Amino acid sequence: MRTSTKVIRLCAVVPAGLAGSFVAVIGLGFLPDAGLVIAFLGTLLFSLVLACGWLEAPATRVFGFARGSRPGERAVLAPTLALLEKIDLVPARVLVRLEDDERLPASPIGRGTVIVEPWLVQGLYERRLTHEDAATAIGHAVASQRVGPARFDLAARLWALPWTLVYVVVRQTARIFSWVPAAEFAWHLRVVVGVVVVFQGFQPGGDPALGVATGLLVAISYVAPAADRAWRAAVQRDADRIVAKRGLAGSLIQLAQWQHGSASLERVQRIRAAATEQKEKKVEVANRDEPGALVLAHPTALR
């Protein structure tokens, strides 16, 4: 499963990185050729630094829009982290996002950093959430990093940053003008615009390079998000098994139902199956280790 996860991840990262490089070249077009070469080499050098695991602390704060936890927040999270340490799912570093994000209570970034949402800490402080609930969210983020691959996460984010910014701006603009008739429909039909631009690029007086580049960007706008969703689904499936086998299946089911609502049925069944499998293994080990118990490795030996 780990190999297929890496392949899916490449299908999401490589197109986004290429698109980010193209957008960066367009944005930095005012620079001379030497300036573009220096910018490219600087980005390459910085990405290698991130890939080696250096400068992860400041990089995760920038890419994750996060900050370090304050003394009061660390005190609130201390019992949760102690529980995670017992089940071997404690993160190397915990940051707090600058603004609330309702999608996930905790998100992995980099090799060993987890970003928690301010509302998660506040919920713990006000006792609306239990430490087991928080441990489930943070532990799932850590398990996702271990399934990964997370080694080149920050480097991939660096190369894809220009494309990510363009994609977010376009999507947010489409949402702002969603009240306009057919605005959202036009975004979903961007493939038509791409085909038209490519066709015009090869007409007399057109620019084939610009047409092909625009067509590739439109294609990437479909391929990269689809591959990213497939990668996240694969990582989520494996991380669910890890967390469920560590004894947090109940809280994980609640988290899945909160995230997906009625669409969480299949995920909940997988979590329960993993928890049941772990319980059966524990019973089998307990029976095997029970004093005086007779374990027949080969039942046919008595014949």
Side-chain angles (χ1 to χ4, degrees):
M1 185 62 207
R2 192 171 180 81
T3 301
S4 61
T5 303
K6 289 182 178 179
V7 173
I8 297 173
R9 181 60 168 162
L10 284 176
C11 293
V13 168
V14 173
L18 293 176
S21 301
F22 179 74
V23 172
V25 169
I26 294 178
L28 299 176
F30 62 91
L31 295 177
D33 294 340
L36 290 176
V37 173
I38 292 174
F40 174 80
L41 293 178
T43 304
L44 179 61
L45 178 61
F46 189 49
S47 63
L48 292 176
V49 171
L50 295 176
C52 292
W54 302 325
L55 300 180
E56 178 166 329
T60 50
R61 298 187 184 208
V62 174
F63 288 114
F65 301 100
R67 57 172 174 78
S69 56
R70 301 188 177 105
E73 294 169 335
R74 288 195 292 270
V76 171
L77 290 171
T80 299
L81 298 179
L83 175 58
L84 289 170
E85 188 172 2
K86 291 181 180 179
I87 60 176
D88 192 28
L89 285 178
V90 64
R93 185 181 298 104
V94 177
L95 300 178
V96 180
R97 201 178 301 276
L98 295 176
E99 295 184 1
D100 278 321
D101 189 339
E102 298 296 334
R103 291 176 297 176
L104 288 174
S107 306
I109 184 173
R111 293 188 175 192
T113 305
V114 172
I115 299 177
V116 300
E117 302 300 328
W119 61 264
L120 176 67
V121 181
Q122 193 67 25
L124 279 174
Y125 176 70
E126 297 174 355
R127 298 186 178 180
R128 290 182 285 105
L129 296 174
T130 66
H131 291 291
E132 185 175 318
D133 295 333
T136 300
I138 299 175
H140 194 275
V142 175
S144 299
Q145 285 174 325
R146 295 180 181 178
V147 174
R151 178 178 299 177
F152 303 105
D153 179 44
L154 292 176
R157 290 172 185 260
L158 175 64
W159 284 99
L161 181 61
W163 163 249
T164 302
L165 294 176
V166 171
Y167 187 79
V168 169
V169 169
V170 172
R171 289 302 302 268
Q172 291 298 326
T173 303
R175 290 178 181 178
I176 292 174
F177 292 96
S178 59
W179 58 272
V180 178
E184 188 70 17
F185 182 69
W187 165 251
H188 290 296
L189 285 182
R190 60 193 182 277
V191 62
V192 178
V193 178
V195 172
V196 171
V197 173
V198 172
F199 177 77
Q200 291 180 345
F202 287 91
Q203 296 302 306
D207 188 348
L210 180 60
V212 171
T214 304
L216 288 176
L217 283 178
V218 172
I220 289 172
S221 70
Y222 286 96
V223 174
D228 187 69
R229 287 192 298 269
W231 169 70
R232 292 182 185 279
V235 169
Q236 182 187 77
R237 183 168 58 249
D238 286 359
D240 283 348
R241 289 181 58 84
I242 294 174
V243 174
K245 289 184 176 182
R246 302 297 170 90
L248 298 175
S251 296
L252 185 58
I253 289 175
Q254 294 179 3
L255 178 62
Q257 292 174 338
W258 171 77
Q259 283 183 282
H260 307 292
S262 59
S264 63
L265 179 61
E266 296 300 326
R267 184 183 178 189
V268 168
Q269 292 302 316
R270 291 196 302 266
I271 295 171
R272 287 176 176 167
T276 302
E277 179 185 347
Q278 183 66 14
K279 288 180 180 179
E280 292 176 351
K281 286 184 178 180
K282 287 183 178 180
V283 171
E284 181 181 353
V285 172
N287 292 336
R288 185 178 304 172
D289 296 340
E290 184 179 354
L294 179 62
V295 179
L296 299 178
H298 302 285
T300 57
L302 297 177
R303 293 182 182 178

